[in-house]
Amino acid sequence: MLGGAGVLLGVAAAPAQAAEVAYRTECIPPAISGLPPVEGTTKVQITAPAEAKVGDEVTVTWKFVQAAARNPDVLDLDKDTVKPTGTLKAGGAQTADIAMEGPRSNPAIPKNSDMKLSDMTGKVKLTAAGEVTLTPDAYNVNVSKPISTDTKCTPKETVQPAATIKVTDGGGSGGQPTINPTLPTGLPTLPTNLPTRLPTGSSPSTSTPTASASETGGNGGDSGTGGQSDFTGKEVQVPYACKTPIGDKNATSPVQINAKKDGGNFALTVQFKKSVMNSPADIPKGSVKPSMEVVLGGADKGTVHVEGPVNANDIKSGDPIEIPDLTGTYKPGASGQSTLSPGVLTIKALGTTTTCTPTKTEVSLTLDTSQQPGGASGGTSTSEGTSAGTSGGLAQTGAEDHGALKALGLVAGTAILLGGAVFTFLPRRAR
């Protein structure tokens, strides 16, 4: 019947049986949400052949009659964004952990409604005669949008077997144990490319001047103009007060402002030092955009807009995150010694905005400037040709996520955003 393929799934041995079991379950929301564990009741129906023989590889099905947790009242889940995986335990005549996996196939799930999880399937090769029991165990619910998050659910009581397969010897040597009853084909594959470190711009080598000209203008002192073109600022500790979508946070970050003279103007590069932090969630490429307003002082007044590129690659959960170099053009509006200090930092990600304001001004670089037409001089100088690109990319990202990402925040820990961005997908109370 199977086209002569010789696939042994146990279907010819006996009609399938289906049985339901319910058990108390604890579900752990994503760590980045900061939500407490939630307890509920999982109801599962297991379908498997009633009889088979040693050596058969049988397929079993796990159907969620009821998941332990509901979709919270914060975010509507889009169609085909939810994927379940789990473990079914074989016991009795044979013990094995059977990897179960369901497709990413679900209807749209509104806020505060029951989770609709697809049926999971798995295979087990029968290696011993007798009764083999099948008992549902832990399972995981992955939601792929707006960012990938996992909710892990484990039994909080002894679970009763949901199905039993009567395994006969069947003769021959087909029942020789293989110690590999199930290959967990549904588990995530290992990443083929190890994390690449953002920023692709300056590396730590930029903080070590290699030319005497850089040393002349270092430490934010009198930079001079005697043929010098590169000016290295000093690293300053900037205390930030941050307004995030999930509350106010404080953070301190080491920041350095460097400049390269271009005619009467200066190309600025703002670097965040020691900004590595592991990401607690998968962050898609093109979704994070940082910018800053560098504050002018001394002879000049106003601000200079600098910004960094969006993240070029997906950032996997557990991989390091760094704020890339921020660049822009400073067009002096006054002649004399002008100071440059880190100012307001803005991080836009997936439709959300986090704004961090320094609580103290720290001068990183001092330059000898000559007034240029259209320069700062009390107003605001922006990097030419960059702002349009910023708003366009972010608008597209926000639209794709239907503006529902009030649940996504940039959580400030000891080094929020500045020391390394931490992103939070915040389903509220998982009921």
Side-chain angles (χ1 to χ4, degrees):
M1 176 179 176
L2 294 173
V7 180
L8 298 177
L9 300 178
V11 292
Q17 57 167 330
E20 182 180 309
V21 65
Y23 54 97
R24 194 171 76 253
T25 309
E26 180 183 64
C27 292
I28 307 296
I32 55 175
S33 71
L35 296 176
V38 174
E39 286 198 7
T41 299
T42 299
K43 294 182 181 179
V44 172
Q45 184 183 81
I46 300 298
T47 302
E51 296 179 4
K53 63 179 183 295
V54 171
D56 285 351
E57 185 180 62
V58 298
T59 297
V60 292
T61 301
W62 171 322
K63 178 182 180 63
F64 285 96
V65 178
Q66 175 184 298
R70 306 184 65 178
N71 182 29
D73 59 358
V74 173
L75 192 66
D76 294 331
L77 300 181
D78 290 345
K79 182 177 181 292
D80 299 339
T81 59
V82 181
K83 179 183 180 68
T85 54
T87 301
L88 185 67
K89 288 190 172 293
Q94 172 185 343
T95 59
D97 286 347
I98 306 170
M100 308 294 291
E101 178 184 9
R104 199 177 294 280
S105 175
N106 60 277
I109 305 174
K111 307 171 202 174
N112 198 27
S113 64
D114 293 336
M115 292 293 290
K116 299 293 192 298
L117 304 178
S118 62
D119 294 350
M120 301 192 295
T121 59
K123 294 181 181 180
V124 58
K125 187 172 183 179
L126 302 173
T127 60
E131 290 191 344
V132 176
T133 59
L134 301 174
T135 304
D137 196 53
Y139 60 93
N140 182 77
V141 179
N142 175 265
V143 177
S144 61
K145 289 180 63 178
I147 58 174
S148 179
T149 56
D150 292 298
T151 297
K152 300 181 184 298
C153 300
T154 54
K156 296 299 290 181
E157 62 180 332
T158 301
V159 185
Q160 298 302 311
T164 301
I165 304 174
K166 184 178 294 186
V167 183
T168 58
D169 193 350
S173 59
Q176 183 144 352
T178 63
I179 301 299
N180 188 20
T182 303
L183 292 177
T185 56
L187 294 180
T189 57
L190 290 174
T192 56
N193 54 335
L194 292 176
T196 56
R197 297 175 69 85
L198 279 176
T200 56
S202 296
S203 64
S205 62
T206 55
S207 63
T208 305
T210 57
S212 58
S214 296
E215 294 174 2
T216 305
N219 299 326
D222 185 359
S223 62
T225 57
Q228 184 178 349
S229 61
D230 294 320
F231 305 95
T232 302
K234 69 178 179 180
E235 182 180 303
V236 292
Q237 300 293 325
V238 183
Y240 276 100
C242 298
K243 299 287 186 181
T244 82
I246 61 169
D248 296 345
K249 305 291 179 181
N250 295 320
T252 298
S253 177
V255 185
Q256 180 175 318
I257 302 175
N258 301 324
K260 184 177 181 68
K261 193 168 185 181
D262 182 11
N265 300 330
F266 296 87
L268 302 184
T269 300
V270 179
Q271 298 175 330
F272 285 84
K273 308 291 186 174
K274 300 178 183 177
S275 58
V276 180
M277 179 177 284
N278 290 341
S279 171
D282 290 345
I283 302 171
K285 66 180 179 180
S287 59
V288 182
K289 181 75 174 180
S291 63
M292 175 189 281
E293 306 306 316
V294 175
V295 178
L296 302 174
D300 210 349
K301 296 294 184 290
T303 60
V304 179
H305 180 80
V306 293
E307 61 184 38
V310 296
N311 53 314
N313 301 304
D314 293 342
I315 305 173
K316 298 293 186 182
S317 177
D319 285 359
I321 304 174
E322 298 180 2
I323 296 293
D325 289 353
L326 311 180
T327 59
T329 300
Y330 168 37
K331 184 179 294 186
S335 298
Q337 284 201 336
S338 300
T339 62
L340 289 82
S341 305
V344 175
L345 172 71
T346 301
I347 302 289
K348 294 187 177 181
L350 295 174
T352 66
T353 300
T354 289
T355 303
C356 297
T357 303
T359 59
K360 182 172 67 172
T361 299
E362 295 284 354
V363 174
S364 174
L365 182 63
T366 301
L367 298 172
D368 283 345
T369 58
S370 298
Q371 182 177 0
Q372 302 297 310
S377 190
T380 299
S381 174
T382 59
S383 177
E384 296 178 1
T386 56
S387 59
T390 305
S391 61
L394 291 167
Q396 292 172 359
T397 304
E400 179 185 354
D401 294 313
H402 309 294
L405 288 168
K406 62 181 179 180
L408 177 69
L410 301 174
V411 178
T414 53
I416 173 186
L417 311 172
L418 334 166
V422 178
F423 301 85
T424 297
F425 171 55
L426 200 111
R428 205 168 293 174
R429 287 272 181 259
R431 295 189 186 21

